[in-house]
Amino acid sequence: MKTNRLETQLIHAAGTDEKTGAVNVPIYLSSTYHQADFEEFGPFDYSRSGNPTRQKLEETIAKLENGTRGFAFASGMAAISSAFMLLSAGDHVLVSEDVYGGTFRFVTEVLPRFGISYSFVDMTDLSEMAAAFQENSKVVYIETPSNPVMKITDIEIAAKLAKANDCLTFVDNTFMTPLYQNPLDLGADLVLHSATKFLSGHSDIIAGLAVTKDPELSSRLGFIQNTFGSVLGAQDSYSLIQGIKTLGSRLKQSSASARIIADYLHTHPAIEEVYYPGFRFHPGNPIHERQATGAGAVLSFRLADKAAAKTFVESLQIPIFAVSLGAVETILSYPATMSHASMPKEEREKRGITDGVLRLSVGLEHADDLLEDLEQALQKVRRTHPAELVK
Ligand SMILES: *Cc1c(COP(=O)(O)O)cnc(C)c1O
C-alpha cells in the first residue's frame, strides 16, 4: 500500500470511529470496563493500562514516527522520566550537555538517588562522546537541535556509536516533530516528545509522547507506563489528536516566519548572535540538513546583557513572554530564569546560556507584524543601552 506524505498522514492517522463513522475520535471517559465474559476479558480493562481514546493517539504517533508502538504520558517530563526508568541501579547514561532544564534536573537530582550515574557530553564532538562511554553505559540521550543554543548532533552517527557500546539511543524530538525529523529512521531506539509544544500547538494541554520500534523495548516501556502510571487522560488525548491534524500547516508557516526573523535579527546591530540551525553558516547546518527536512520555528539570540534583555522584553507588544514554545502565538522566553532556571548559573553559562540570551518560538501571526514589533523594541534597546551600538 502507498504510504502518504506526512501532511496527509497527520490528518488521517487517527482515522474515523469504526462504530459510528464519526470523523473525530470519541472521548471515552471511563476508568474501567465491563467484562462481558467471565473467562475471556475484552481489549480494555482499566484506563491506566489502556483507554480507547489514548490508544488512537498512541497509534497515531507511532505511525508518524515510523515506530511500532506509541505511548502517551501526562507530560513530556513524565515520558522522559518513564524512559529513564528502563534503567537500573549501577547503570550510566550519556546526556547531551544542553538538554532541557527539566531533563537536566531529573538526570542530576533523581537518577543518582536510584544509583544511576551520568556524564554530560558535547555531542557535536564525536570524539568527546566516544571517550565518555563506560563499561556500565546503557543510554545515549540526545536533544537536537539543543535548547536554547541550537547545537546539532548527528543522530545516525551517535546511534551507531551507542550501538557499538551496547547502549540504547533516546532522542527528544520536541523541536523538530515527526514532520521534520524521524530519529527512528536514523537508528534511534526511542523517540520522546513534549507534546505540550508543537504537536498540540495551542498552549492548552500538557502532554508527552514516546515511540519505540523494537518489540522487546516496546513491551518494557509499556510495562513502565502501566506500572508508573503517569498516563495522559482521555480528554487531553483527544485535544492532542486534534492538534496533530494541523501540525503540517502550522509548523511550515511558523518556520517560514522564523527564517525571515532569523535573517532580520542576524543583521541587527543590537544583536550579538543568532542561534538558528537554518543558517548556512551554522556549524551544525550540514548535519541538520541531512537528518531533518526543516529548520523549525524556534531560534535564540543574544543581546548584550540582562538589562538589554529586560528593555527588549518590556517593549514588545505581540509575543507572549512565557515559558514553553510551539504554539499558535509567538512565545518569547528568557532561558536564564525560565527553561533553564533549574540549571546552576555556572553550568548555564558554560553552555552559552548567558543573561542576554532570549528564545523565540515563532507563531502564526503575520511575519511583518512580528518584524515591526521586534524593530521598535530593538530601537528602544539601542536608545536605552547605547553601549550596544558598537558591534
Ligand atoms: C517542554 C520540554 C520538555 C518537557 O515537557 P513537559 O511537557 O513540559 O513536561 C522536554 N523537552 C523539551 C525539548 C521541551 O521543550
Side-chain angles (χ1 to χ4, degrees):
M1 199 183 92
K2 174 178 177 296
T3 306
N4 286 316
R5 292 165 186 82
L6 210 89
E7 290 83 345
T8 308
Q9 291 187 46
L10 289 167
I11 307 293
H12 295 288
T16 52
D17 182 40
E18 291 92 356
K19 283 203 191 73
T20 63
V23 293
N24 291 313
V25 169
I27 304 174
Y28 283 93
L29 290 175
S30 191
S31 58
T32 189
Y33 303 81
H34 172 65
Q35 304 303 330
D37 190 287
F38 183 78
E39 311 262 3
E40 286 283 316
F41 291 172
F44 297 98
D45 59 2
Y46 188 59
S47 274
R48 171 160 39 71
S49 317
N51 170 283
T53 312
R54 195 179 88 223
Q55 183 177 303
K56 283 288 179 202
L57 168 65
E58 293 177 331
E59 289 167 3
T60 298
I61 192 65
K63 273 185 218 157
L64 298 176
E65 285 286 14
N66 297 327
T68 54
R69 200 161 154 198
F71 304 88
F73 294 91
S75 68
M77 280 318 303
I80 292 165
S81 314
S82 298
F84 276 120
M85 278 180 210
L86 293 164
L87 293 160
S88 303
D91 291 347
H92 169 259
V93 292
L94 275 65
V95 183
S96 273
E97 66 172 356
D98 40 2
V99 275
Y100 175 73
T103 307
F104 178 87
R105 180 170 53 200
F106 187 80
V107 167
T108 57
E109 296 193 36
V110 178
L111 288 186
R113 291 201 282 108
F114 293 88
I116 297 160
S117 58
Y118 58 86
S119 301
F120 284 102
V121 180
D122 176 0
M123 294 199 185
T124 61
D125 181 346
L126 291 168
S127 57
E128 181 180 330
M129 184 180 159
F133 286 100
Q134 301 178 3
E135 277 293 296
N136 55 345
S137 298
K138 290 287 160 59
V139 163
V140 172
Y141 187 96
I142 298 171
E143 220 178 285
T144 180
S146 74
N147 178 19
V149 293
M150 305 286 160
K151 283 192 176 174
I152 304 299
T153 298
D154 189 323
I155 299 173
E156 196 167 7
I157 292 187
K160 276 194 183 129
L161 212 50
K163 200 165 208 160
N165 287 277
D166 290 327
C167 288
L168 295 174
T169 304
F170 295 179
V171 178
D172 181 334
N173 203 27
T174 300
F175 274 42
M176 285 293 106
T177 84
L179 185 70
Y180 285 160
Q181 185 168 271
N182 295 116
L184 295 178
D185 293 347
L186 299 163
D189 299 288
L190 201 159
V191 178
L192 295 152
H193 287 283
S194 170
T196 310
K197 316 293 167 55
F198 290 104
L199 290 171
S200 62
H202 294 76
S203 304
D204 51 358
I205 61 162
I206 297 284
L209 295 170
V211 185
T212 48
K213 200 165 194 171
D214 173 68
E216 200 251 342
L217 185 63
S218 301
S219 70
R220 280 171 63 206
L221 189 60
F223 175 82
I224 299 281
Q225 184 195 36
N226 186 35
T227 303
F228 187 57
S230 60
V231 293
L232 191 66
Q235 302 200 47
D236 287 351
S237 295
Y238 173 81
S239 295
L240 184 46
I241 289 169
Q242 295 298 77
I244 285 172
K245 289 180 187 174
T246 57
L247 174 70
S249 35
R250 281 188 292 105
L251 187 55
K252 280 187 198 169
Q253 176 67 49
S254 289
S255 300
S257 300
R259 182 170 293 277
I260 293 168
I261 290 170
D263 285 338
Y264 160 76
L265 292 173
H266 174 62
T267 57
H268 199 286
I271 305 288
E272 294 185 345
E273 193 160 2
V274 180
Y275 305 96
Y276 173 64
F279 285 147
R280 278 278 159 73
F281 51 85
H282 182 297
N285 178 266
I287 297 168
H288 187 73
E289 297 227 311
R290 203 179 328 123
Q291 66 190 11
T293 53
V298 183
L299 56 114
S300 301
F301 49 95
R302 189 152 42 81
L303 288 160
D305 51 24
K306 187 176 178 178
K310 183 169 188 279
T311 302
F312 179 70
V313 170
E314 288 173 353
S315 308
L316 283 170
Q317 306 285 316
I318 297 174
I320 305 291
F321 180 56
V323 296
S324 202
L325 57 101
V328 292
E329 56 277 338
T330 293
I331 300 177
L332 183 69
S333 349
Y334 187 52
T337 57
M338 292 179 167
S339 58
H340 290 67
S342 49
M343 192 177 278
K345 188 178 165 75
E346 192 188 316
E347 293 289 323
R348 192 160 50 70
E349 296 198 331
K350 225 180 351 185
R351 291 160 169 79
I353 312 163
T354 59
D355 287 347
V357 170
L358 287 157
R359 188 186 72 201
L360 192 70
S361 165
V362 180
L364 297 179
E365 300 91 344
H366 198 293
D368 291 343
D369 288 327
L370 293 171
L371 283 176
E372 284 163 22
D373 196 25
L374 292 167
E375 173 61 24
Q376 64 80 22
L378 287 171
Q379 273 175 18
K380 212 164 280 177
V381 169
R382 295 185 76 193
R383 276 200 304 276
T384 330
H385 308 277
E388 277 91 59
L389 281 170
V390 282
K391 193 189 176 182

